[in-house]
C-alpha cells in the first residue's frame, strides 16, 4: 500500500534539503493520483514554473507538458513539483542553481551532485517516489551516486525529448531516479517509445526488460584518480559480484581519458547555440527598457540573468565552433566521440556490460567544492561522460557506504539494452542492502 507523504512532511523535507524549485502547496492535492512523481526543472509542465534552474526563465509557465510528464500523468501519476538543478544542467553539484542549493539527504553539509540534484534528493528522501531526471553528460548517474539511489539513463532516443529545455541536443536524455529496480521496470515502459514530436525517438526498437549480465568488463583506466574510499568500496563490490557468479574481467579502454575534453567541447558548443534564444524577449524575465538598440536590449538581459557558469559555457562553446578553431576543437571532439563509441562496441564483443565506479569521490562538502577549480569540477565527470558521449544506456546503483556516505557504481550496456541494466539492478538488490536516510518530519 502506498503511503504518500503529508504536506507537512514534504514541506519540512523541502525546507531542509531545498529539493524543489516549485511544488504543490495544497495538502488536499496530495490525496490525488495513484503514485507521486517529480520532474527536473528543465522539463516543461503545466501547473508549475519551468525555469531550468535559471534566473533568466523566472516567471515562465509553459502551456503544455513534456512528453514523459504527459505519459506519467496519463498513467495516473500526480506531479508534485519541479526539482532543483544546476542552471540549464551546467554542473555536477547543483551549486549552479539560481534558486538555492539542494542539500544531501545523508548530510546537509554536502552536495546532492548534479545537475539533477533535487531529483536524487527527492528519490532518497520520499519513499516510493519517482523522480524524472535528465542527463547530458552524467546528470542522472552523478546525483544518484551521491544521494545513494538508483539512476537509469536510457539509450539516447529511447525517451522523447519533446518539452525538454535543451542543453546539448545530441546528448540529452530523460531518465529515472528511484529507490528500486521494480520502479524502473514499472516506469521505464511508461515514458519510453516513439513520439512523433521527437524524431530521434522514432527509430528505437521495442523495449525489452529482460537481459543477462554474465560477464562484466572493468576498464583499468577507470581506476586512475579514484579516492581511496571509492576504490576500496568498489573492489568490495566486485568481490561480491564474483561471489554471486558474475565473471569480472579487466579490460582496456584507452580513449576514455579523452572523454572529458571531448565532452566539454561538444556540450558547450551545443549549449552556446541553445542559449541564444534567451534574450529577455520571448520567455521569462523581460527587460523593460525598450528605448535602446536590440543589441543592448539583449545584452542587458543576458548579463543580468545568466549565472557565471552559463556565461563561461557560452564563451567556451562559441570559441570551439569559430572559423579557424572549429577543426581543432569541435571536429576533433567529434572524432574522439566516434573513437569512444568504437571502443565500447569492441568491449561489448566479449562483455555484456562495462562497470566502473560512478564518481571518483563521495559527495563533497560545500567548503570542499568552494576550493575546487573549474577544471577539477569538470574532471569529476570522467566516468560518467563516456557512456553519455556514446549514447549508451547506463545505470548507477549504490555499491557501498564510506563514512556514512553512499558510493555508487555505474554499469553501461550496449545501445537499446536497458533490459540488461534493469536485470542487473534487480540482481544486485538481492545481495546488497541499500540504506536510505531516516526521515523525521
Ligand atoms: N556535469 C556535466 C556538465 O556540467 C554533466 C551535466 C549534465 O549531464 N547535465 O555538463
Amino acid at each position: 500500500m502506498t503511503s504518500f507523504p503529508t504536506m507537512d512532511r514534504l514541506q519540512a523535507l523541502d525546507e531542509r534539503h531545498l529539493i524543489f524549485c516549485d511544488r504543490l502547496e495544497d495538502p488536499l492535492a496530495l490525496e490525488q493520483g495513484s503514485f507521486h512523481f517529480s520532474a527536473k526543472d528543465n522539463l516543461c509542465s503545466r501547473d508549475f514554473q519551468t525555469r531550468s534552474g535559471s534566473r533568466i526563465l523566472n516567471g515562465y509557465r509553459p502551456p503544455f507538458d513534456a512528453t514523459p510528464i504527459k505519459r506519467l500523468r496519463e498513467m495516473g501519476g500526480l506531479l508534485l513539483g519541479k526539482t532543483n538543478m544546476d542552471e540549464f544542467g551546467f554542473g555536477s553539484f547543483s551549486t549552479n542553481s539560481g534558486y538555492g542549493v539542494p542539500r544531501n539527504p545523508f548530510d546537509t553539509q554536502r552536495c546532492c551532485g548534479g545537475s539533477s540534484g533535487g531529483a536524487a534528493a527527492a528519490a532518497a528522501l520520499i519513499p516510493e517516489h519517482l523522480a524524472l531526471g535528465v542527463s547530458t553528460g552524467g546528470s542522472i548517474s552523478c546525483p544518484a551516486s551521491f544521494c545513494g539511489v538508483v539512476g537509469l539513463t536510457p539509450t539516447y532516443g529511447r525517451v522523447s525529448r519533446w518539452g525538454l529545455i535543451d542543453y546539448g541536443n545530441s546528448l540529452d536524455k530523460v531518465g529515472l531516479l528511484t529507490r528500486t529496480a521494480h520502479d524502473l521496470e514499472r516506469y521505464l515502459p511508461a515514458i519510453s517509445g516513439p513520439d512523433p514530436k521527437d524524431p530521434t525517438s522514432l527509430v528505437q526498437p521495442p523495449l525489452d526488460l529482460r537481459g543477462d549480465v554474465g560477464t562484466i568488463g572493468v576498464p583499468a583506466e577507470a581506476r586512475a584518480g579514484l579516492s581511496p574510499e571509492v576504490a576500496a568500496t568498489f573492489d568490495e563490490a566486485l568481490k561480491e559480484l564474483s561471489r554471486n557468479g558474475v565473471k569480472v574481467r579487466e579490460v582496456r579502454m584507452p580513449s576514455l581519458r579523452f572523454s572529458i575534453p571531448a565532452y566539454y567541447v561538444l556540450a558547450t558548443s551545443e549549449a552556446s547555440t541553445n542559449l541564444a534564444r534567451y534574450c529577455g524577449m520571448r520567455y521569462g524575465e523581460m527587460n523593460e527598457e525598450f528605448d535602446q538598440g536590440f543589441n543592448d536590449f539583449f545584452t542587458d538581459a543576458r548579463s543580468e540573468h545568466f549565472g557565471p557558469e552559463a556565461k563561461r559555457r557560452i564563451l567556451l562553446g562559441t570559441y570551439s565552433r569559430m572559423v579557424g578553431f572549429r577543426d581543432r576543437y569541435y571536429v576533433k571532439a567529434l572524432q574522439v566521440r566516434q573513437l569512444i563509441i568504437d571502443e565500447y562496441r569492441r568491449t561489448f564483443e566479449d562483455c555484456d556490460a562495462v562497470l566502473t565506479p560512478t564518481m571518483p569521490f563521495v559527495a563533497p562538502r560545500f567548503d570542499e567544492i568552494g576550493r575546487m577549480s573549474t577544471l577539477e569540477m569538470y574532471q569529476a565527470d570522467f566516468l560518467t561522460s563516456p557512456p553519455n558521449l556514446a549514447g549508451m544506456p547506463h545505470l548507477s546503483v549504490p555499491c557501498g557506504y564510506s563514512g556514512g556516505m553512499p558510493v555508487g557504481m555505474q554499469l553501461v550496456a550496449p545501445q537499446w539494452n536497458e533490459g540488461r541494466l534493469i536485470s542487473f539492478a534487480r540482481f544486485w538488490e538481492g545481495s546488497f542492502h541499500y540504506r536510505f536516510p531516516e526521515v523525521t518530519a
Side-chain angles (χ1 to χ4, degrees):
M1 190 56 209
T2 310
S3 52
F4 292 145
T6 61
M7 187 52 88
D8 285 350
R9 160 152 312 192
L10 201 63
Q11 196 165 340
L13 286 176
D14 196 21
E15 273 164 18
R16 196 169 137 92
H17 295 277
L18 277 83
I19 304 171
F20 294 97
C21 328
D22 198 4
R23 63 169 167 82
L24 288 178
E25 306 277 349
D26 174 9
L28 288 179
L30 289 186
E31 309 287 315
Q32 292 156 23
S34 55
F35 65 94
H36 287 174
F37 72 104
S38 60
K40 189 173 176 178
D41 193 35
N42 55 358
L43 286 159
C44 288
S45 73
R46 292 201 178 96
D47 308 336
F48 301 99
Q49 295 191 60
T50 298
R51 303 178 287 193
S52 210
S54 179
R55 284 275 157 199
I56 208 161
L57 278 171
N58 201 19
Y60 176 52
R61 287 181 169 273
F64 61 91
D65 281 336
T67 299
I69 294 182
K70 179 167 172 279
R71 290 184 175 173
L72 288 174
R73 290 211 218 236
E74 281 164 3
M75 197 183 166
L78 173 73
L79 179 61
L80 290 189
K82 312 306 279 289
T83 51
N84 206 345
M85 59 180 281
D86 283 302
E87 181 174 21
F88 292 109
F90 303 155
S92 306
F93 308 113
S94 295
T95 44
N96 298 327
S97 168
Y99 301 97
V101 177
R103 294 169 189 279
N104 194 286
F106 289 83
D107 176 355
T108 53
Q109 301 299 311
R110 294 176 185 268
C111 77
C112 289
S115 61
S116 314
L125 291 165
I126 310 172
E128 299 185 46
H129 183 80
L130 166 69
L132 283 178
V134 178
S135 174
T136 305
S139 279
I140 293 176
S141 280
C142 162
S145 166
F146 285 173
C147 295
V149 297
V150 176
L152 178 76
T153 310
T155 310
Y156 176 78
R158 176 63 89 192
V159 178
S160 169
R161 284 178 294 119
W162 194 77
L164 167 67
I165 296 180
D166 304 309
Y167 167 174
N169 310 45
S170 80
L171 294 152
D172 297 341
K173 298 156 295 284
V174 181
L176 307 169
L177 295 108
T178 73
R179 288 184 176 193
T180 62
H182 175 260
D183 283 347
L184 301 180
E185 260 170 319
R186 179 167 174 210
Y187 298 116
L188 182 63
I191 62 167
S192 306
D195 172 14
K197 292 180 176 138
D198 172 8
T200 51
S201 73
L202 296 178
V203 295
Q204 61 181 295
L207 181 66
D208 184 352
L209 292 178
R210 292 160 308 172
D212 273 333
V213 180
T215 307
I216 280 174
V218 178
E221 291 75 7
R223 295 189 179 273
L226 299 180
S227 68
E229 61 269 25
V230 168
T233 311
F234 181 63
D235 283 337
E236 270 311 307
L238 290 181
K239 281 189 211 141
E240 178 68 17
L241 285 171
S242 304
R243 275 197 292 275
N244 284 294
V246 178
K247 277 205 206 74
V248 178
R249 177 183 294 175
E250 184 170 289
V251 296
R252 293 259 149 199
M253 296 186 71
S255 59
L256 290 191
R257 70 199 155 95
F258 302 120
S259 80
I260 284 296
Y263 167 74
Y264 276 93
V265 166
L266 294 174
T268 57
S269 295
E270 295 186 24
S272 62
T273 64
N274 278 322
L275 294 189
R277 62 176 71 104
Y278 306 108
C279 58
M281 212 169 69
R282 296 191 186 91
Y283 321 90
E285 289 294 350
M286 170 70 121
N287 177 352
E288 303 282 344
E289 289 164 38
F290 300 120
D291 52 348
Q292 37 181 355
F294 68 87
N295 245 334
D296 291 334
F297 179 90
F298 295 161
T299 305
D300 282 357
R302 291 165 67 84
S303 307
E304 196 178 331
H305 302 299
F306 275 141
E309 186 58 26
K311 288 176 186 162
R312 177 181 289 122
R313 293 188 184 214
I314 293 172
L315 291 174
L316 274 173
T318 308
Y319 184 84
S320 316
R321 290 182 289 106
M322 261 161 62
V323 178
F325 298 106
R326 189 185 301 150
D327 289 350
R328 204 183 313 162
Y329 299 110
Y330 183 71
V331 174
K332 190 54 99 191
L334 284 176
Q335 289 166 340
V336 170
R337 185 177 197 174
Q338 190 57 48
L339 217 61
I340 291 172
I341 294 172
D342 293 344
E343 209 160 76
Y344 272 116
R345 290 205 176 127
R346 264 200 307 279
T347 311
F348 290 138
E349 286 169 13
D350 307 314
C351 303
D352 300 315
V354 169
L355 186 71
T356 64
T358 307
M359 296 302 286
F361 37 68
V362 297
R365 287 196 318 268
F366 292 112
D367 60 309
E368 295 170 324
I369 297 171
R371 287 194 294 274
M372 286 168 86
S373 69
T374 302
L375 207 58
E376 282 169 328
M377 293 189 190
Y378 290 0
Q379 199 60 41
D381 298 337
F382 81 101
L383 297 168
T384 58
S385 55
N388 281 282
L389 277 175
M392 311 254 178
H394 49 286
L395 167 88
S396 180
V397 289
C399 72
Y401 298 84
S402 174
M405 294 306 293
V407 175
M409 64 181 174
Q410 178 181 263
L411 191 74
V412 185
Q415 264 196 314
W416 312 119
N417 279 279
E418 288 84 357
R420 282 189 205 174
L421 302 177
I422 293 177
S423 323
F424 178 85
R426 212 184 306 112
F427 162 80
W428 181 243
E429 259 174 42
S431 69
F432 182 79
H433 181 67
Y434 300 160
R435 298 180 203 161
F436 298 104
E438 283 289 318
V439 176
T440 44

